[in-house]
Amino acid sequence: MKKIRKTSYKNFLIYGFVILAYAVLRLLDGTVGISASLKGQLVPICAYVVMAVSLNLTVGVLGELSLGHAGFMSVGAFTGVVACMSLEAIIPLVPLRMAVSMIIGALCAGAAGVLVGIPVLRLRGDYLAIVTLAFGEIIKNIINCLYVGTDARGLHVSFLTNSDALNLGENGRVIIDGPMGISGITKVSDFTTGVVLILVTLFIVLNLVNSRSGRAIMALRDNRIAAESVGIPVTKYKLMAFVVSAALAGAAGTLYAMNYSTIVASKFNFNTSILILVFVVLGGLGNIWGSIIAAAVLTIIPELLRQFNDYRMLVYAVVLILVMLATNNPALRNLLRRVVGRVSPSKIAKEEPSDGQI
Amino acid sequence: MARYKRPEINLVPVPSPNIIPERDVGKFPVLEARNLGIDFGGLTAVDEFNMAIGCTEIAGLIGPNGAGKTTVFNLITKVYQPTRGTILLNGRDTLNMNTVQVSKAGIARTFQNIRLFSNLSVEDNVKLGMHNHIKYGMWSGILRLPGYWKGEKFAHELAMELLSIFDMQDLADHQAGSLPYGAQRRLEIVRALATGPSLLLLDEPAAGMNPSETDELMENIVKVRDTFQIAIMLIEHDMNLVMGICEGICVLNFGKIIAKGTPSQIQNNPEVIEAYLGKKKET
Ligand SMILES: Nc1ncnc2c1ncn2[C@@H]1O[C@H](COP(=O)(O)OP(=O)(O)OP(=O)(O)O)[C@@H](O)[C@H]1O
Ligand SMILES: [Mg+2]
């Protein structure tokens, strides 16, 4: 049981770090005050940290490439906001309503993950990358054509028409207005909600990775053929990792959307998916610490660089390259490893030899 | 393995036409291959393969390079579906089973080119072997319910017990990929044993080992058979090992069995000598 104690010690270090960062920011806010631009970024940072940690489950722990993580965020964002708006009368307590909405967002995104995953994860090779890429675009287009409204009779949904087709009764209101997205959201996300979601995500991901199921998922990444030979059902565990990852992205989507008064589907496009993938790759595949720090730092940097205006993206790119060089430097990596320790075995396994060489 | 429960199948033992050891005759063989064959496109890699393995036998499968030995293992474990023929495992037909089902039915194997979960620890590799014997699900794992603690405790103790057979318990926390070659081969055997097989397939277990490591391996293979009362079939090029511990030997050449018998029968078989050394030129 020594080993279990060791890993849970490492996990508590991460929870502690997140709580400490939260406490420090809260303290600064209460005393010296923090800049408005940083303050505005706090909830998006939390959402991106959750996105990065959850994508790491698919890319780093399972070893499958997903290029449509923002698609699941989008599903979570829109279903979560619709849930939150239509539950306003039923659950007046804001934190509870927020929690219920995030769970609904997560369930819907998880269901989308099942739909995408069942056909694709049975195949071998890079099909998942292609299909998730398409999924992100399809979701964007579906939501652009979707009209949802609510009135005394409940939810009304219409597709490919306009908001009049909803036939809303008196006091009815349009929630999703096609390409206009959702407007008039009451902002209910705050930093505390965000940090709680990060902690819940970490709890789920870290405990999953350090359990029987997580071992099976990593075994698939390291050597699929050996995993099958000891009786591990491949599709089941691929699907498990992928769906958990999608569901957490959904919860992050709800959190993110409830921080703005307006949200449109085009926000969750291919660029957002790639941005999150960049967090994961820079932070290190399978490295949860790395994902948290990369997501937080790389979300703040563009804000800090606002003063450079036109050169902003240039400087951002240079910073990315520098970080990449630094994280690939063995000496520096060893130092980092000694300081913080590794959460889980990182590094994607070597390319698996083709089937002919069994 | 004694600690795992396996559903009993009640079938009548069949007398086998093969060379299984005296003590296993009358019980039905752990594995019976009948007329097994596979074609890769136009190439017939294995053909008319007939063999039975007694339930506590150590059997050898030998033959020159490219003879089709590994392919036989891949057929038995359903990495490839046979083109023709039948494989019975403990009297049960394995038609339509896949690799995972064959593993659950009691066949475990090692690989010629080692296939460990190289980024995971030695202990985790062994625990993955017991995957289907640890009974808790995803939610017990995430929420750390009692099932998780019970399952992990069982897994840890059994993993240590199995590692100690090969004197590897001190390496439990090492990363599997960082072990020396010989230790990686032994770990693969431990992982296979952890699945609780009734038949263990070893593909060149002594490859890359030095003579003293090989001697130790021979002792351990016999010890594993004696302790767990299971059948073992091994492919090996090291004739000392094969002749030393195998009770029945099957010789494969160009995908076909050219000889079957005890070690002394095989050693003196002219066809076998010819397959290995080439035909004697008539002068
Ligand atoms: N997937 C495959 N596709 C096509 N041909 C194959 C495949 N697998 C094996 N073969 C062929 O089948 C034959 C037997 O190969 P196999 O690997 O079983 O030999 P082996 O007896 O294990 O040899 P070695 O002692 O070198 O390991 C070889 O000619 C090989 O090229
Ligand atoms: Mg071979």
Side-chain angles (χ1 to χ4, degrees), chain B residues 5 10-11 36-37 42 46 48 59 68 78 103 106 161 164 176 182 185 232 273 277 279:
Chain B
K5 280 189 224 93
N10 293 313
L11 289 178
L36 198 59
V46 173
E48 291 170 34
K78 293 298 174 96
S103 158
E161 197 180 312
S164 68
R185 284 222 171 272
I232 296 175
I273 297 170
L277 302 178
K279 209 179 176 104

Side-chain angles (χ1 to χ4, degrees), chain A residues 125-146:
Chain A
D126 291 327
Y127 295 100
L128 189 68
I130 300 164
V131 173
T132 46
L133 174 79
F135 169 76
E137 294 303 306
I138 291 170
I139 283 296
K140 201 173 73 190
N141 288 318
I142 288 180
I143 294 175
N144 272 336
C145 305
L146 189 67

Side-chain angles (χ1 to χ4, degrees), chain B residues 3-18:
Chain B
R3 294 183 66 163
Y4 297 150
K5 280 189 224 93
R6 195 180 290 292
E8 291 295 326
I9 319 150
N10 293 313
L11 289 178
V12 188
V14 281
S16 166
N18 288 274

Side-chain angles (χ1 to χ4, degrees), chain A residues 45-57:
Chain A
I45 287 175
C46 292
Y48 283 131
V49 166
V50 174
M51 290 299 287
V53 170
S54 62
L55 184 62
N56 209 338
L57 189 59

